[in-house]
Amino acid sequence: MVKGKLGIGTVLDGFRIDKLTHAGGMAHLWSVTREADGAGFLMKTPVVYEGEDPAAIVSFEMEQMIMPHLKGPHAPRHIANGDFATQPYIVMEQLPGDTLLPQLQSLPLGVDKVAALGAAVADALVSLHGQGVVHLDVKPSNIMFRSSGEAVLIDYGLAHHRDLPDLMQAEFRLPYGTAPYMAPEQVLGIRHDPRSDIFALGALMYFFATGTRPFGDPRTLAGLKRRLWRDPAPPRKLNPALPPWFQEIVLRCLEVKASRRYPTAAQLAHDLRHPEQVMLTARSGKREKDGFFAVLRRKGEPEMSLIDRPPRRAEASDAPIVLVAVNLDDMTPELAGKLRTTALRILERAPQARLAVLNVQKLNRIALDQTLDAEGNNKHVQRLAALKDWARPLRIEDAQVTYHVLEAVDPADAILDYARLNNVDHIVMGARASSAMRKLLGSVSAKVAAEAPCSVTVTRNRAHAKT
């Protein structure tokens, strides 16, 4: 370990320290410049003075292990690590702007802003969970935004990576996290369930929409454990202006049993972006906390009985979002049946899957489009009804399926945009019949298959199998 303290002008492995930007209890952040090319970065160094909490060192080791494995726009780009034998550090890209922490001075925020913020953070969780990482410390001070709009999660000192040793779990018995946002299973020492991050995001959205933390800010283990049996006040009791769909989403995120929460962050993001399609349950109408006897019953249960066995790891293969693109203008009964059969096969393999049934109403490039047909019926409403008719033989629960009619000049682009925005895992669509127009302009299914960010299954009639 290097002797003496770091300061302005210190050079470590070619990085010159220019400024101390933050002095925290577990780590310091420095603005640094790489002398070789003048590029600016952020350097993180642990607090390693005599008498400091050893968890600060272990969590820093965890972050050094995890950060080089992270990819994509939702985590800071990793540049370099420093050896503990000389001087431990992490150098990463320096993101402009601030975290969400200053937003606490303006709470409560409007529901539309909270929903948009929540959806963006859920997108970041989709990326992390897909890489096998559970963050375990989702809170305002660990969330930033790029200028392009993507949420970025920072500080991976408490995170769990499915393919790396979990030093925090191996070396400490007490749970580590930020008290207002810790999930019940995290309080009990379970660190590898991605739905813990969904709980934390639910607590954050509750706080941002009401100005009140759902479980307060407990300072003892006994206080933390209250969330295993004591539910928070319904958000609409604190802020009556909140709509039922928002309370439904947030209280589902805050369920004690992880199996009753959203199975994936992608499904949470989808509901936040399509509130009109949220299936309301008794959660949405709650006005008070659960009664005395309900709380007493939960308090009498063994703690670990509240936790799913076995808890899920950081993967979402059993709960995908499946997009079925239904072309109502060129759909034979045979092709409609094949689309249903394909969708059912996917649902049988993934019982927690979410089905998004979508139709694109093609717009004219030049001529004005009419919203009513010749009989005076609204075309959009008619197409929604037709999509529900298509899905009815599937006999799936209403909460598992949503319906969407998009209007676009290019149907393929509309399908692709929806898939990217809503973290779709699988697209199912039918191939259009052979025609001179198809040969001239190309196939919608071919473009989607070529450019989609996910798996694509294209079904077709036998008669068109060779077209």
Side-chain angles (χ1 to χ4, degrees):
M1 184 75 67
V2 295
K3 300 191 183 294
K5 295 183 178 180
L6 301 176
I8 307 303
T10 302
V11 178
L12 294 173
D13 301 330
F15 296 100
R16 185 186 69 248
I17 294 178
D18 299 325
K19 179 183 178 183
L20 176 65
T21 61
H22 176 74
M26 299 180 74
H28 290 170
L29 297 176
W30 311 82
S31 291
V32 300
T33 303
R34 187 159 53 190
E35 293 191 314
D37 53 19
F41 302 104
L42 189 70
M43 177 182 284
K44 184 174 185 177
T45 58
V47 174
V48 292
Y49 308 132
E50 184 67 31
E52 294 294 338
D53 186 350
I57 303 300
V58 176
S59 70
F60 195 85
E61 289 183 275
M62 290 291 300
E63 192 164 19
Q64 277 194 324
M65 284 194 299
I66 290 173
M67 281 202 67
H69 293 269
L70 299 178
K71 298 178 176 62
H74 300 292
R77 180 168 57 92
H78 176 263
I79 305 298
N81 282 345
D83 198 323
F84 267 83
T86 53
Q87 169 63 56
Y89 64 77
I90 301 170
V91 175
M92 67 194 85
E93 70 170 308
Q94 186 160 22
L95 297 164
D98 208 337
T99 69
L100 288 181
L101 195 60
Q103 296 271 5
L104 303 191
Q105 305 302 316
S106 305
L107 300 185
L109 303 180
V111 67
D112 290 343
K113 186 171 184 178
V114 176
L117 184 155
V121 176
D123 287 343
L125 293 177
V126 172
S127 176
L128 290 184
H129 296 168
Q131 297 178 64
V133 176
V134 188
H135 191 276
L136 296 174
D137 201 16
V138 176
K139 60 182 180 180
S141 59
N142 283 341
I143 299 169
M144 300 184 71
F145 280 83
R146 297 188 183 277
S147 58
S148 51
E150 295 98 342
V152 181
L153 290 173
I154 62 175
D155 194 346
Y156 291 84
L158 299 182
H160 170 93
H161 193 297
R162 69 181 170 212
D163 298 324
L164 298 173
D166 192 336
L167 303 181
M168 293 296 292
Q169 190 161 48
E171 299 190 28
F172 301 102
R173 294 297 183 94
L174 291 175
Y176 276 86
T178 303
Y181 306 97
M182 288 177 67
E185 64 276 6
Q186 192 178 347
V187 173
L188 296 179
I190 294 173
R191 289 178 34 83
H192 58 252
D193 194 324
R195 295 168 298 188
S196 298
D197 288 341
I198 291 175
F199 184 97
L201 180 51
L204 186 150
M205 289 191 294
Y206 182 113
F207 183 26
F208 273 45
T210 66
T212 301
R213 294 182 174 89
F215 304 99
D217 189 7
R219 300 295 180 177
T220 65
L221 183 59
L224 281 171
K225 286 186 174 182
R226 279 178 56 86
R227 68 196 59 191
L228 274 67
W229 45 269
R230 174 75 274 185
D231 61 318
R236 298 183 70 208
K237 178 180 175 64
L238 302 178
N239 184 355
L242 293 172
W245 63 261
F246 183 81
Q247 178 163 299
E248 176 72 33
I249 290 173
V250 168
L251 291 186
R252 183 175 178 186
C253 292
L254 295 179
E255 287 281 359
V256 173
K257 284 194 174 184
S259 60
R260 299 193 65 190
R261 298 175 208 151
Y262 283 93
T264 65
Q267 292 195 17
L268 168 58
H270 189 276
D271 270 5
L272 287 167
R273 290 194 171 103
H274 304 281
E276 75 285 352
Q277 301 243 12
V278 174
M279 183 59 59
L280 302 182
T281 70
R283 298 186 192 99
S284 66
K286 284 190 69 174
R287 291 292 185 176
E288 301 291 340
K289 293 184 179 183
D290 289 340
F292 172 78
F293 290 105
V295 173
L296 188 64
R297 183 176 63 254
R298 286 199 294 266
K299 196 172 182 181
E301 295 179 10
E303 288 177 351
M304 293 306 292
S305 70
L306 298 174
I307 307 303
D308 297 326
R309 294 292 189 168
R312 286 185 55 234
R313 293 193 174 272
E315 53 192 35
S317 59
D318 58 342
I321 294 180
V322 180
L323 168 61
V324 182
V326 180
N327 183 357
L328 297 172
D329 300 316
D330 186 17
M331 178 70 65
T332 65
E334 180 186 0
L335 188 55
K338 286 193 172 186
L339 282 174
R340 281 192 288 266
T341 299
T342 304
L344 276 175
R345 287 174 180 166
I346 296 172
L347 293 175
E348 287 170 356
R349 295 194 300 267
Q352 294 188 85
R354 185 74 166 268
L355 204 64
V357 183
L358 179 146
N359 170 255
V360 181
Q361 183 176 344
K362 193 173 186 306
L363 298 178
N364 295 307
R365 292 184 182 273
I366 301 175
L368 294 177
D369 292 280
Q370 302 297 319
T371 59
L372 303 180
D373 64 15
E375 287 75 36
N377 300 309
N378 185 284
K379 294 179 182 179
H380 190 99
V381 174
Q382 281 188 313
R383 287 173 180 262
L384 280 176
L387 291 179
K388 293 181 180 181
D389 287 340
W390 175 88
R392 191 167 290 111
L394 295 175
R395 296 182 179 179
I396 58 178
E397 295 183 7
D398 290 343
Q400 199 175 359
V401 59
T402 57
Y403 304 93
H404 311 270
V405 175
L406 308 180
E407 297 180 352
V409 170
D410 188 323
D413 283 344
I415 293 170
L416 290 166
D417 288 345
Y418 183 95
R420 295 186 187 105
L421 180 63
N422 292 282
N423 302 294
V424 169
D425 300 288
H426 198 143
I427 299 173
V428 179
M429 62 188 306
R432 189 168 59 184
S434 179
S435 67
M437 188 63 69
R438 177 187 175 193
K439 292 176 181 177
L440 178 64
L441 299 179
S443 154
V444 172
S445 58
K447 182 175 182 178
V448 171
E451 301 180 21
C454 59
S455 300
V456 179
T457 298
V458 179
T459 63
R460 63 180 68 231
N461 292 336
R462 288 192 188 90
H464 305 137
K466 297 181 180 180
T467 61

